[in-house]
Amino acid sequence: MVKEFTKDSIRQAVKDLNVRFLRLCFTDINGTLKSVEVPVSELEKVLANEIRFDGSSIDGYVRIEESDMVLYPDLDTWCVFPWTDGTGSRIGRLICSVHNTDGSPFAGDPRNNLKRVIAEMREMGFSDFEVGFEAEFFLFKEDEHGHWTTEPTDESSYFDMVSEDAGAKCRREIVETLEEIGFEVEAAHHEVGAGQQEIDFRFDDAIKTADKVLTFKTIVKEIAQKHGLHATFMPKPVEGLPGSGMHTNMSLFKDGKNAFYSKDGEYGLSNTALYFLNGILSHARALTCVANPTVNSYKRLIPGFEAPVYISWANKNRSPLVRIPDADEVGKRLELRSADPTANPYLLLACCLKAGLDGIKQAEMPIDPITTNAFEMSEEELKERKIVSLPSTLHNAIKYLKVDELILAALGSHLSKSYVEAKTYEWAKYTQSVSDWERNRYMNY
């Protein structure tokens, strides 16, 4: 497997694999994957950073009078999708950073923003921010017209092994496809909910991992459609079923070693890890607006399921916001359990890293870990242990974000303004909507 790509190796792959189109991908502020597709005849312009697009049409980007944007492809993200069109031709893909016409990085590009925060990390002496995502999703059947339904592919549960159901077959092909384009898949299994799946791939540095999440979601949706199924990363698609999370595993490296590990520390954690943890906990309410960015996200963050509700941490307990998994030196990490798959991975990681680095600067220890189920604690016990709750709605999360200067700084002035405006608009549209629940409850009044 080629680890690093060059212009020449990409040119050769285009010839050898019969690539006819090139898909240049980037994200909007919501984490929605966008792309400009050009014929392979434009390859040299692509490699020379000469492909432009209209940024005024992308959520959170620029106004019409400032619309010209330029795509700078990251050659290391090159892949050729394994499927072909009717002529046997294939599509090559590159993930891009967005730049202004003068060549400077565009501040409204979430990928550029993460690079900016990583540069701050390196100024503090750390070399890498290693991340592993665990993104869950549901597979639902489509109707006779190819539209989604909420009928799951199965009635299985956590780790059930049903080898011949539609979901299991689809999941296996997703894994095979991911491996074909260079993913190192570590695990794939059925999750708790009917039709719910999880596929975990190897951790990597923050930029590469965020890139992989976008690719992962694309592959999942493409293969599901091939099987006549609809894949959704919606946090809570069905009332009563568990929601889908995107557990975020994080560690810092310095001088080739995991800075979060200490053989003498409780749970194997260094002071650096504990300070980083305190930064996450201290800014958790504002961070939630980025980790859980949709109205639907908060239908998942409720008691009774494994999703966290309280700002706390623990070793083996799965009810807190942050868990410390058992792991060796290299794998020692913090697992943020609140995030869901609708989060823009670049924005999420920028905010987590900024909060953690601030925690290291402040050098303060977190509250004591909990050893019991937080959902079973009384109000008095929660108050005594200084455990507070996460925001219960997007509206409340926005309010916390607007007053948290550190998390706003993690997004930068352009993105923070656009993000707050976008989420405020989303909440306003939701408050104006009328649901079936309301009609069923109130129509006879």
Side-chain angles (χ1 to χ4, degrees):
M1 181 181 68
V2 177
K3 294 283 187 179
E4 296 180 359
F5 294 97
T6 64
K7 292 181 180 181
D8 284 341
S9 67
I10 290 173
R11 291 185 184 105
Q12 192 62 46
V14 165
K15 293 178 182 178
D16 294 344
L17 300 174
N18 193 25
V19 174
R20 285 190 61 193
F21 287 93
L22 305 171
R23 188 174 295 171
L24 309 178
C25 298
F26 56 99
T27 69
D28 67 8
I29 197 169
N30 296 311
T32 304
L33 190 64
K34 302 291 183 178
S35 68
V36 174
E37 195 163 285
V38 300
V40 74
S41 59
E42 297 290 285
L43 175 61
E44 294 308 315
K45 290 179 67 175
V46 169
L47 297 177
N49 305 328
E50 294 177 358
I51 301 297
R52 297 191 176 196
F53 71 100
D54 179 6
S56 66
S57 301
I58 307 299
D59 286 347
Y61 271 40
V62 293
R63 298 170 297 181
I64 292 176
E65 62 269 26
E66 307 167 326
S67 60
D68 282 347
M69 300 273 103
V70 186
L71 293 173
Y72 279 46
D74 183 336
L75 302 188
D76 284 340
T77 66
W78 168 256
C79 77
V80 178
F81 293 126
W83 50 79
T84 61
D85 61 19
T87 67
S89 301
R90 297 169 75 175
I91 296 173
R93 193 288 316 269
L94 285 161
I95 294 176
C96 304
S97 294
V98 181
H99 288 240
N100 301 305
T101 53
D102 65 2
S104 60
F106 172 50
D109 173 21
R111 196 172 191 267
N112 284 338
N113 184 68
L114 177 54
K115 289 180 180 179
R116 176 182 64 84
V117 180
I118 288 173
E120 294 177 12
M121 173 200 75
R122 290 189 172 136
E123 288 176 2
M124 290 179 61
F126 298 100
S127 58
D128 291 290
F129 181 38
E130 297 286 326
V131 178
F133 280 129
E134 301 170 29
E136 298 164 341
F137 59 96
F138 277 89
L139 292 174
F140 292 114
K141 296 178 181 179
E142 293 181 341
D143 63 19
E144 64 272 20
H145 304 294
H147 300 145
W148 60 263
T149 72
T150 55
E151 182 182 356
T153 55
D154 58 68
E155 294 298 327
S156 302
S157 187
Y158 193 62
F159 269 42
D160 281 359
M161 187 177 69
V162 183
S163 60
E164 295 307 318
D165 69 47
K169 292 177 181 177
C170 179
R171 188 177 68 234
R172 285 198 294 270
E173 185 169 348
I174 291 170
V175 170
E176 290 169 353
T177 304
L178 290 171
E179 290 186 328
E180 189 171 342
I181 62 172
F183 276 63
E184 293 182 58
V185 176
E186 295 188 325
H189 60 86
H190 198 286
E191 258 296 337
V192 176
Q196 190 179 30
Q197 316 289 334
E198 181 178 317
I199 298 173
D200 302 332
F201 46 90
R202 183 173 173 77
F203 68 88
D204 211 327
D205 72 65
I207 293 289
K208 290 180 180 177
T209 299
D211 289 344
K212 286 178 179 177
V213 167
L214 301 182
T215 305
F216 171 74
K217 293 171 82 169
T218 299
I219 295 297
V220 167
K221 288 180 174 291
E222 289 275 357
I223 300 302
Q225 190 174 45
K226 176 181 172 182
H227 284 256
L229 302 175
H230 180 83
T232 180
F233 291 90
M234 183 178 181
K236 190 80 167 184
V238 179
E239 180 182 347
L241 287 182
S244 289
M246 186 168 70
H247 298 168
T248 306
N249 296 272
M250 303 170 283
S251 54
L252 287 176
F253 278 73
K254 185 175 185 178
D255 300 326
K257 296 182 178 180
N258 188 346
F260 280 5
Y261 175 77
S262 171
K263 65 181 178 63
D264 299 320
E266 187 175 14
Y267 309 132
L269 293 176
S270 66
N271 282 348
T272 297
L274 292 168
Y275 298 152
F276 191 101
L277 169 61
N278 190 55
I280 294 289
L281 299 179
S282 299
H283 296 278
R285 284 174 158 171
L287 212 159
T288 300
C289 193
V290 179
N292 308 96
T294 70
V295 168
N296 181 257
S297 297
Y298 298 82
K299 307 293 177 71
R300 168 180 166 262
L301 300 180
I302 58 175
F305 298 92
E306 286 192 357
V309 175
Y310 299 108
I311 300 173
S312 56
W313 69 285
N315 178 219
K316 296 183 178 180
N317 192 335
R318 292 179 182 267
S319 65
L321 176 67
V322 178
R323 188 175 76 93
I324 313 301
D326 288 330
D328 59 14
E329 178 176 351
V330 173
K332 184 55 65 178
R333 62 197 186 274
L334 309 180
E335 178 190 34
L336 178 71
R337 297 179 58 79
S338 60
D340 68 56
T342 58
N344 183 320
Y346 303 108
L347 299 186
L348 172 62
L349 296 183
C351 291
C352 287
L353 180 55
K354 185 82 170 180
L357 293 176
D358 184 66
I360 293 172
K361 292 175 184 177
Q362 301 301 323
E364 294 180 1
M365 288 294 179
I367 59 175
D368 292 336
I370 63 173
T371 56
T372 58
N373 190 335
F375 300 138
E376 297 175 355
M377 291 184 182
S378 65
E379 289 294 328
E380 292 76 15
E381 187 176 2
L382 290 170
K383 184 176 181 180
E384 181 181 336
R385 302 193 66 166
K386 300 179 181 179
I387 297 173
V388 297
S389 62
L390 292 171
S392 59
T393 65
L394 178 61
H395 176 60
N396 288 336
I398 294 168
K399 290 195 290 186
Y400 285 113
L401 175 60
K402 289 168 70 174
V403 297
D404 192 315
E405 294 183 1
L406 185 94
I407 300 302
L408 291 174
L411 297 172
S413 58
H414 184 113
L415 280 168
S416 59
K417 181 177 183 294
S418 298
Y419 192 83
V420 169
E421 288 177 352
K423 295 297 116 183
T424 301
Y425 177 77
E426 184 172 344
W427 178 257
K429 295 296 289 183
Y430 173 66
T431 60
Q432 297 165 25
S433 68
V434 180
S435 66
D436 287 341
W437 184 92
E438 293 167 278
R439 278 184 283 269
N440 292 333
R441 189 171 181 86
Y442 304 124
M443 192 64 86
N444 290 327
Y445 272 41

